[in-house]
Amino acid sequence: MKNPGKFCSSCRMKALRADPEMEAKRVATFRARFADAEFKAKHCAASAERLAKWRATEEGSTFVNANSRANLVLANSPENTEKRIRNIRVALMGWCPEDRWDEYRKMARTMPAPEARRIIEADLAAKERARLKALSPFERDMERIAKGARIVEQFTPRKADHAFSIIGSSMA
């Protein structure tokens, strides 16, 4: 098939694969070719040969070692699965304190999730304002310093030595 210039080869293949008629034709051709035992044996032998060559490369051996049966069993252990789930939750719900996750989930079942998030964020902001209001100015400053703020000298601009310009006019 000649490319008329509208698509690059990758985009053209995506367009062809998205067309149900073309996909059905491709699948039918694939099944017909693999029905022939001789073709299937040649194809499988060639695929096995390519796989063996790839495994012999540094990239292939690293991939095979990383995905060995022992590593896969370890990666899918209950502890690692829990850790993975927790990391996903922290990434998705980092805006919400962990002790409010259940409350958010319950609210999100009864109303739109953005609305539930807005309610919880408003409540968190109100609690933070109340906490800061209860602190003295000194305690607030000390908290800021503990979080990394620094005490710096306040800038005060100097006054001009004279109130007139070089030409002697005080209007400048």
Side-chain angles (χ1 to χ4, degrees):
M1 176 184 225
K2 198 169 188 180
N3 188 359
K6 287 199 294 189
F7 298 114
C8 67
S9 59
S10 173
C11 294
R12 186 178 72 232
M13 289 310 296
K14 284 179 187 171
L16 286 173
R17 297 294 294 266
D19 181 9
E21 190 177 305
M22 291 298 290
E23 186 65 10
K25 185 177 177 183
R26 188 189 67 79
V27 169
T29 303
F30 182 80
R31 285 190 178 144
R33 290 182 79 187
F34 269 79
D36 179 17
E38 187 179 329
F39 173 81
K40 186 175 182 179
K42 279 184 185 178
H43 180 79
C44 290
S47 294
E49 187 179 327
R50 282 193 304 274
L51 180 62
K53 283 182 182 176
W54 178 75
R55 283 183 174 168
T57 65
E58 185 178 341
E59 178 193 2
S61 62
T62 303
F63 179 83
V64 169
N65 291 337
N67 293 298
S68 67
R69 176 61 95 201
N71 285 344
L72 291 175
V73 168
L74 180 64
N76 293 322
S77 68
E79 301 84 29
N80 280 346
T81 302
E82 269 182 47
K83 189 176 177 182
R84 206 168 36 248
I85 290 170
R86 178 166 167 49
N87 287 342
I88 291 169
R89 281 188 182 146
V90 167
L92 294 176
M93 307 241 324
W95 59 271
C96 183
E98 202 171 325
D99 60 325
R100 309 267 317 250
W101 285 359
D102 290 332
E103 178 186 350
Y104 169 75
R105 272 192 230 114
K106 286 177 187 171
M107 289 172 72
R109 284 188 200 116
T110 60
M111 64 179 71
E115 180 68 16
R117 179 175 177 165
R118 190 192 61 73
I119 290 170
I120 289 182
E121 285 178 336
D123 184 47
L124 291 172
K127 285 184 179 178
E128 180 64 13
R129 281 193 304 273
R131 186 186 71 79
L132 289 175
K133 191 175 183 180
L135 295 176
S136 69
F138 176 75
E139 289 170 328
R140 275 183 262 160
D141 289 344
M142 292 308 292
E143 187 177 306
R144 287 186 196 117
I145 289 170
K147 289 181 180 177
R150 291 180 292 139
I151 298 176
V152 295
E153 187 177 327
Q154 186 172 354
F155 173 73
T156 51
R158 289 184 353 170
K159 291 185 179 179
D161 292 338
H162 42 76
F164 53 88
S165 69
I166 295 175
I167 58 172
S169 170
S170 63
M171 298 298 287

